[in-house]
Amino acid sequence: MNITSIISAIGNNSSVYPLIVRDCGIEVPTKVVMTYNQNKKESKDIAYLASRERVLDEYSTSAVWLGGIPLIGKLCDLLIKKKGLNPKVNLKLFKEEKYQGINYNIEKFKNIAPEAVKDLLKAKENKKLYEKLLAGKFIASTSIPILFMGFILPKLVFASSAKKIEEMRKKQTQVNFIEKDKFISFTGSWVSKAANFSTQDKMAVTDGGYAVGRISTARNRNESYDLGFKMIGMMFLNFVAPKWIEKGLNRLTGVTLDPIMLADKDFIEQIKNNDLKLPKSASEKDLFEFIDNIANKDCAFIKYADKFGKIKMLKSGIRDPREYVDVKKLCEFRDNIEKFAQNLKKSKDVKMFIRNAKISKTANILTNVGLSSFLLAYVLPKCQFAFRKMITGSDLEPGLAPAEKELA
């Protein structure tokens, strides 16, 4: 993978790559250090325990969040296939539209994509079963991670900390010849199952359920307030802020195309020579006529629309009839290409224009990753610490603070 592909991957805010970079590479290590420094102001023992909890908690959560959800989804797909159905068929197709739908696509693609149409027919004939299977897939791929991250993992981490505190207390007792009669008890309510799932993105839904679980299993009221503040901030900064930042930077620089497209010499030559093929307009009719014309299968617009998930093409060059096309996103993609092409042709120095566009887009992506990581890894913890100080009057982790008396 070259540097352009890497920049492209971490700049795609609809994928997990920016989350991996922010979460595992920047946010977690920074938070561990900040957690230790914040707690050591009052107790080095609690600082050690708090940073230990943060390492166990954050990296275990990241492993489930980034790996567990896709794995469960793939296992569910295998089960669906065993039932003779293809999970690639999009349920949105059952709502017939003017230029796409289950019946529309069956009729349109029956002679040019017969294998895909067979999947559509099976889904249509077994609609209720297929809907139940996909609903089960959604519930499994969100509720299982939520159960582990929100309820089981906190209990394991709390129990581990309780054991460490007991060991530390005994050592101090032996050294100081002090007998203690009681010890902190870590308790928390278990919630039997996740409820009220919405139709949001799986990652966002899982994060929401994870937040509920963490607050529910907090060791005391102050810890639940502390976690609630943190989780709300994390959800906003992970799922909303990066997209807002991206839009703002794109508007500021006027560059919206992906770095891979900007580095494609053939694409640039097509623009320069007026050979670039695009749908006549951004209307739904023109978009579908263009992408369904087999003569256009090798054009840059379809190639990149497929690559960046705006449409899904079969190896034959035919649009996959099992996939639903988000016309709004495809329209925006088409308009962005057209605007870029117009600006390029207006420029006096094409090479300099392309060079500046590449630099601007790369800077946008790196700025977005850097800024959102800074907000997550530094600003949010600082705000959380200030909030904690305000409600508890202490710098210590609220869940561990009662243990400080035992270790004093």
Side-chain angles (χ1 to χ4, degrees):
M1 181 179 282
N2 58 35
I3 189 66
T4 300
S5 298
I6 293 172
I7 295 296
S8 172
I10 65 173
N12 183 2
N13 283 307
S14 296
S15 74
V16 299
Y17 297 111
L19 292 172
I20 292 173
V21 173
R22 291 197 301 265
D23 193 61
C24 299
I26 302 173
E27 180 188 353
V28 175
T30 305
K31 281 183 175 179
V32 170
V33 173
M34 292 180 69
T35 296
Y36 181 84
N37 291 336
Q38 183 70 13
N39 284 270
K40 77 174 182 179
K41 296 175 183 178
E42 296 187 33
S43 171
K44 287 187 177 181
D45 288 329
I46 297 300
Y48 161 73
L49 291 169
S51 56
R52 179 179 177 274
E53 278 195 353
R54 182 57 59 89
V55 170
L56 293 172
D57 184 19
E58 296 285 356
Y59 279 114
S60 297
T61 297
S62 295
V64 175
W65 196 43
L66 298 170
I69 295 173
L71 177 61
I72 294 170
K74 287 181 180 179
L75 292 175
C76 290
D77 284 346
L78 290 176
L79 176 62
I80 293 172
K81 288 177 180 178
K82 282 188 177 181
K83 295 290 184 180
L85 297 164
N86 194 324
K88 289 183 179 179
V89 177
N90 195 309
L91 279 179
K92 289 183 179 180
L93 293 173
F94 283 97
K95 183 180 180 181
E96 294 287 336
E97 297 178 9
K98 190 173 182 180
Y99 295 103
Q100 60 180 330
I102 194 83
N103 294 319
Y104 183 95
N105 285 8
I106 288 172
E107 185 63 28
K108 181 172 183 175
F109 292 92
K110 62 183 179 182
N111 295 323
I112 56 177
E115 292 302 314
V117 168
K118 285 181 183 179
D119 292 333
L120 291 175
L121 287 168
K122 287 180 181 178
K124 180 183 177 183
E125 292 166 1
N126 300 277
K127 181 182 177 183
K128 288 186 178 180
L129 172 62
Y130 187 55
E131 287 177 336
K132 287 180 181 179
L133 288 171
L134 286 187
K137 175 184 175 181
F138 173 77
I139 292 171
S141 58
T142 53
S143 61
I144 293 174
I146 285 171
L147 179 62
F148 180 79
M149 295 189 300
F151 301 97
I152 297 175
L153 180 60
K155 290 291 184 179
L156 295 175
V157 174
F158 295 164
S160 177
S161 290
K163 185 177 179 181
K164 280 288 181 184
I165 293 171
E166 179 65 18
E167 291 173 358
M168 294 168 69
R169 185 188 69 80
K170 286 179 179 179
K171 286 180 181 179
Q172 290 188 354
T173 299
Q174 292 170 359
V175 172
N176 300 320
F177 302 99
I178 299 174
E179 292 295 330
K180 296 188 182 290
D181 297 322
K182 57 184 179 181
F183 181 58
I184 182 172
S185 175
F186 289 83
T187 62
S189 60
W190 286 85
V191 178
S192 59
K193 60 180 179 178
N196 299 321
F197 285 106
S198 70
T199 56
Q200 297 175 52
D201 175 82
K202 285 182 182 178
M203 299 289 276
V205 170
T206 303
D207 224 27
Y210 161 49
V212 171
R214 286 305 171 91
I215 294 170
S216 299
T217 55
R219 288 165 286 195
N220 54 54
R221 184 178 296 178
N222 284 339
E223 186 175 43
S224 68
Y225 294 152
D226 191 60
L227 287 170
F229 184 91
K230 168 190 168 184
M231 296 305 300
I232 291 172
M234 284 180 63
M235 290 180 68
F236 174 77
L237 293 176
N238 266 322
F239 297 105
V240 180
K243 293 180 180 180
W244 286 5
I245 295 170
E246 180 184 19
K247 287 181 180 179
L249 292 172
N250 286 347
R251 191 175 293 113
L252 183 66
T253 62
V255 182
T256 57
L257 299 189
D258 190 273
I260 290 177
M261 296 180 70
L262 299 175
D264 186 339
K265 294 180 180 179
D266 290 336
F267 172 63
I268 301 302
E269 285 299 315
Q270 287 176 33
I271 297 175
K272 288 166 60 179
N273 300 327
N274 293 316
D275 293 331
L276 180 66
K277 290 184 177 181
L278 288 175
K280 294 177 184 177
S281 72
S283 71
E284 190 175 11
K285 178 178 181 295
D286 287 340
L287 288 171
F288 276 102
E289 282 185 357
F290 187 89
I291 61 178
D292 289 338
N293 185 344
I294 193 65
N296 296 326
K297 67 176 184 176
D298 296 320
C299 76
F301 176 76
I302 289 181
K303 171 187 171 183
Y304 285 117
D306 182 27
K307 181 176 181 61
F308 298 123
K310 314 302 178 183
I311 57 175
K312 181 69 176 177
M313 303 298 291
L314 299 171
K315 290 181 179 179
S316 61
I318 303 296
R319 175 170 62 88
D320 191 338
R322 297 165 297 190
E323 294 286 340
Y324 179 82
V325 178
D326 189 324
V327 176
K328 184 179 179 181
K329 289 183 179 179
L330 187 61
C331 166
E332 183 179 16
F333 185 64
R334 182 253 176 218
D335 287 347
N336 286 339
I337 293 177
E338 183 180 57
K339 184 177 180 180
F340 175 80
Q342 290 172 348
N343 290 336
L344 186 146
K345 285 187 285 188
K346 289 178 183 177
S347 65
K348 295 180 180 179
D349 188 332
V350 173
K351 286 186 178 180
M352 183 60 70
F353 179 85
I354 296 298
R355 178 177 175 276
N356 290 339
K358 288 179 182 178
I359 293 173
S360 294
K361 188 60 180 180
T362 300
N364 284 359
I365 291 171
L366 296 179
T367 299
N368 195 345
V369 171
L371 180 56
S372 55
S373 296
F374 174 73
L375 292 171
L376 269 167
Y378 185 80
V379 176
L380 178 59
K382 282 292 185 182
C383 292
Q384 181 187 358
F385 296 155
F387 177 76
R388 177 188 302 168
K389 185 79 171 181
M390 181 180 71
I391 63 170
T392 70
S394 171
D395 290 313
L396 297 176
E397 293 283 324
L400 292 169
E404 202 272 335
K405 294 180 181 178
E406 297 291 330
L407 296 174

